[in-house]
């Protein structure tokens, strides 16, 4: 059996090698490493895929969040509400920009931000909400947009883990995640659903003013080179990565189908076990399974993880610490017990290997071992 890894980028590359290698060679031949033709082509192709007028590629998903916040012209001290259960990027950029992060608890079944908790956290200083579409499925955008409309708040969707996922409104209208709020941000880090072979990211919007502003911000605040109008950064997607992304975008729907097939296998094998809670699919969304994350009793979680490891099966805890309890955020004064749901989820989650190259033998090995371990706990 092929060795089991959390992600298997190498096998995916080998499967697509001729196309990827040709795309890379073309860039090398042209030497147009910055702002080359592949960057323009990729942004147009991604915009078409998402059915959105503007995509602004940038250097990574963390920069995308920072640039989005800069473009909204928020002022130091303005409050921004986000999920307490996510990767550090959101918190980090808010702190860098001297904005005030306000984290709130999550829905324990979908792991996404709880709209009721957003409502409770709103103050006169609240300016924006950053929902994160975690692990491959959308947050409750209908209710989040409702709250944003009611209080006049901006919405930035962190779509780093869910590009290609959809949100369906009650009328049956369906939109791609990242295209619903004022701005969507995403990452093309090698493990993400749409990935390159290094760092990359993008901003998504339907607003021409925001699109123009963000385009300037990622280019040193300049529309014309050497004429710098606003504070910017250097955050471009390089041409080599764009060329790789064009190939991967062509395959994105297939990548998603492969992940969904692996998830279905897990659901079938693990779904009826009393000690495992399989991922809940939010009914208004599609789950593209960036992660396949189960919940175990906190008493069992770490020992199950260790025993899987002893049997050569990797698993990961995304995320072990709520943002509220990260050291970098200690000055905010949050304490253990403030966010019971997130805290408990951090102690219960276990993400199993899932990627585009899994075969049934590997899935069977993982499930058989996990069920066997649980039987003996
Ligand atoms: C990966 C990720 C980011 C950051 O993306 P980078 O490209 O690594 O900077 C931000 N938010 C979430 C939810 C992510 O998963």
């Amino acid at each position: 059996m092929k060795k089991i890894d959390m992600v298997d980028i190498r096998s995916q590359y080998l499967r697509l090698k001729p196309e990827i290698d040709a795309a890379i060679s073309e860039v090398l031949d042209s030497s147009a490493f910055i702002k080359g033709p592949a960057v323009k082509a990729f942004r147009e192709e991604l915009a078409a895929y998402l059915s959105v007028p503007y995509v602004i590629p940038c250097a990574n998903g963390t920069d995308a969040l920072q640039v989005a916040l800069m473009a909204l012209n928020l002022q130091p001290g303005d409050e921004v509400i986000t999920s307490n259960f996510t990767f550090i990027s959101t918190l980090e950029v808010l702190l860098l920009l001297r904005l005030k992060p306000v984290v709130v608890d999550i829905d324990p079944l979908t792991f996404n931000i709880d709209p009721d908790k957003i409502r409770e956290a709103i103050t006169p200083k609240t300016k924006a909400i950053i929902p994160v579409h975690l692990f491959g499925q959308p947050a409750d955008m209908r209710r989040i947009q409702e709250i944003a409309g009611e209080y006049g708040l901006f919405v930035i969707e962190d779509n780093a883990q869910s590009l290609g996922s959809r949100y369906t409104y009650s009328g049956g209208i369906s939109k791609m995640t990242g295209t619903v709020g004022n701005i969507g941000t995403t990452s093309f880090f090698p493990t993400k659903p749409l990935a390159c072979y290094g760092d990359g990211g993008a901003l998504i919007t339907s607003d021409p003013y925001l699109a123009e502003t963000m385009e300037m911000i990622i280019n040193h605040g300049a529309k014309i080179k050497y004429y710098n109008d606003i504070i910017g950064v250097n955050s471009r997607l390089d041409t080599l990565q764009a060329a790789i992304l064009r190939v991967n975008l062509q395959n994105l729907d297939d990548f998603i189908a492969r992940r969904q097939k692996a998830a279905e296998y897990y659901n079938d094998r693990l779904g009826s076990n009393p000690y495992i809670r399989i991922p809940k699919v939010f009914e208004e969304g599609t789950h593209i399974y960036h992660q396949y994350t189960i919940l175990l009793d906190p008493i069992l979680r770490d020992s199950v993880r260790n025993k899987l490891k002893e049997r050569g099966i990797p698993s990961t805890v995304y995320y072990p610490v709520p943002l509220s309890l990260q050291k970098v955020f200690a000055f905010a004064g949050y304490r253990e017990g403030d966010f019971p749901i997130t805290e408990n989820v951090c102690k219960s989650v276990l993400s199993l290997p899932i990627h585009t190259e899994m075969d049934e033998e590997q899935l069977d090995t993982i499930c058989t071992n996990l069920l066997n371990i649980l039987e003996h706990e």
Side-chain angles (χ1 to χ4, degrees):
M1 187 186 57
K2 210 163 67 178
K3 181 172 166 283
I4 300 170
D5 292 308
M6 285 301 288
V7 288
D8 185 354
I9 297 159
R10 183 170 162 76
S11 297
Q12 190 188 73
Y13 164 63
L14 292 176
R15 194 159 55 78
L16 302 173
K17 190 172 177 358
E19 293 156 75
I20 297 268
D21 288 1
I24 291 174
S25 295
E26 201 180 310
V27 179
L28 295 181
D29 279 339
S30 76
S31 296
F33 296 121
I34 302 291
K35 293 185 178 176
V39 179
K40 184 163 181 285
F42 170 66
R43 68 191 294 170
E44 284 166 5
E45 287 157 6
L46 182 58
Y49 180 85
L50 296 170
S51 302
V52 71
Y54 307 105
V55 166
I56 297 107
C58 66
N60 59 70
T62 308
D63 275 7
L65 284 164
Q66 181 180 329
V67 171
L69 288 162
M70 289 169 77
L72 295 175
N73 203 20
L74 303 184
Q75 300 304 311
D78 284 350
E79 294 178 10
V80 178
I81 297 173
T82 193
S83 171
N84 196 13
F85 186 62
T86 186
F87 186 61
I88 194 67
S89 293
T90 330
L91 180 68
E92 191 168 65
V93 297
L94 290 170
L95 295 176
L96 260 174
L97 295 173
R98 301 275 179 253
L99 300 168
K100 185 178 170 194
V102 176
V103 294
V104 300
D105 230 335
I106 56 169
D107 176 325
L109 299 177
T110 64
F111 308 123
N112 274 323
I113 193 165
D114 179 347
D116 289 331
K117 301 285 165 48
I118 295 177
R119 201 176 272 283
E120 287 167 19
I122 289 172
T123 77
K125 286 189 161 175
T126 308
K127 292 287 157 41
I129 309 168
I130 309 183
V132 181
H133 304 307
L134 204 72
F135 296 160
Q137 69 175 337
D140 189 343
M141 289 311 291
R142 181 178 55 77
R143 291 173 64 206
I144 291 168
Q145 291 294 102
E146 227 170 68
I147 295 167
E150 206 175 305
Y151 292 92
L153 308 176
F154 295 114
V155 174
I156 300 171
E157 296 172 74
D158 182 344
N159 199 28
Q161 300 189 3
S162 300
L163 194 90
S165 173
R166 288 181 164 276
Y167 189 89
T168 305
Y169 289 90
S170 46
I173 300 162
S174 148
K175 288 197 165 193
M176 306 295 291
T177 52
T179 69
V180 179
N182 301 85
I183 301 170
T185 66
T186 198
S187 162
F188 306 126
F189 186 83
T191 60
K192 305 281 159 130
L194 177 61
C196 58
Y197 293 172
D199 279 308
L203 293 135
I204 300 156
T205 189
S206 298
D207 180 325
Y209 170 77
L210 284 176
E212 190 182 10
T213 308
M214 295 190 297
E215 186 78 48
M216 287 172 72
I217 292 173
I218 64 152
N219 283 298
H220 301 288
K223 211 179 314 180
I224 303 162
K225 207 172 184 181
Y226 307 125
Y227 293 81
N228 308 85
D229 301 342
I230 55 177
I231 297 176
V233 294
N234 174 12
S235 182
R236 291 179 295 250
L237 179 70
D238 71 68
T239 314
L240 277 166
Q241 301 304 342
I244 292 161
L245 282 161
R246 291 186 71 197
V247 177
N248 283 340
L249 179 59
Q250 289 290 323
N251 289 283
L252 181 56
D253 287 339
D254 176 57
F255 292 168
I256 290 171
R258 286 164 174 264
R259 286 175 179 277
Q260 288 171 331
K261 194 167 163 228
E264 252 170 60
Y265 185 97
Y266 277 136
N267 287 341
D268 286 347
R269 289 285 303 275
L270 308 178
S272 57
N273 186 284
Y275 299 104
I276 301 173
R277 223 220 64 214
I278 61 171
K280 180 178 158 73
V281 179
F282 176 56
E283 59 199 21
E284 289 163 58
T286 46
H287 204 321
I288 65 163
Y289 294 100
H290 172 58
Q291 299 298 344
Y292 187 90
T293 303
I294 60 171
L295 288 171
L296 297 171
D297 189 315
I299 298 170
L300 300 179
R301 200 263 315 265
D302 292 338
S303 82
V304 169
R305 188 177 178 211
N306 286 332
K307 285 175 185 159
L308 282 170
K309 193 176 166 202
E310 283 163 17
R311 298 173 184 212
I313 298 167
S315 61
T316 308
V317 174
Y318 303 111
Y319 295 92
V321 185
L323 294 184
S324 56
L325 298 178
Q326 292 286 1
K327 267 192 200 154
V328 63
F329 201 27
F331 71 89
Y334 290 119
R335 291 186 189 290
E336 188 124 22
D338 287 347
F339 299 96
I341 298 170
T342 305
E343 289 166 23
N344 189 56
V345 162
C346 288
K347 293 177 189 138
S348 314
V349 281
L350 193 66
S351 296
L352 302 177
I354 193 160
H355 52 76
T356 59
E357 312 304 310
M358 289 188 90
D359 60 38
E360 208 156 300
E361 194 186 4
Q362 293 176 311
L363 286 160
D364 175 49
T365 304
I366 297 165
C367 292
T368 304
N369 279 285
L370 176 59
L371 293 169
N372 182 272
I373 290 164
L374 282 168
E375 213 174 290
H376 294 97
E377 276 292 329

